[in-house]
Amino acid sequence: MKKYKLITYAMAEYAYASHLRDNLKHEGEIIYPHEASSKLLQDGSWLLLTITGERLGTVSPNGTVRLK
């Protein structure tokens, strides 16, 4: 089994929001993921979901953000 660096939900949420603001120059309100709905995947990435289950993106253990 491959080991991966642990990334917490809070770290993943921060990386997601920072990516939207800093890299995509998003202005206005950000749709934040819901912690209880989001999932930690086997490879250590977080699948970020809204409270209704809408997929917002993934954040890898090294902080790479991939949207929808």
Side-chain angles (χ1 to χ4, degrees):
M1 178 179 239
K2 187 176 181 179
K3 289 192 173 193
Y4 52 85
K5 181 175 118 182
L6 180 64
I7 181 172
T8 65
Y9 170 80
M11 294 164 68
E13 182 184 274
Y14 179 81
Y16 164 77
S18 295
H19 177 75
L20 291 180
R21 286 193 186 103
D22 300 342
N23 298 330
L24 301 180
K25 306 298 183 207
H26 183 83
E27 294 180 1
E29 189 174 341
I30 291 176
I31 298 172
Y32 278 90
H34 183 250
E35 184 173 3
S37 300
S38 297
K39 297 177 171 101
L40 180 60
L41 304 177
Q42 285 185 334
D43 67 354
S45 297
W46 276 93
L47 173 59
L48 301 177
L49 303 168
T50 65
I51 195 167
T52 60
E54 178 185 353
R55 185 179 189 271
L56 297 174
T58 59
V59 180
S60 70
N62 68 2
T64 301
V65 177
R66 292 183 181 87
L67 302 177
K68 292 189 185 183

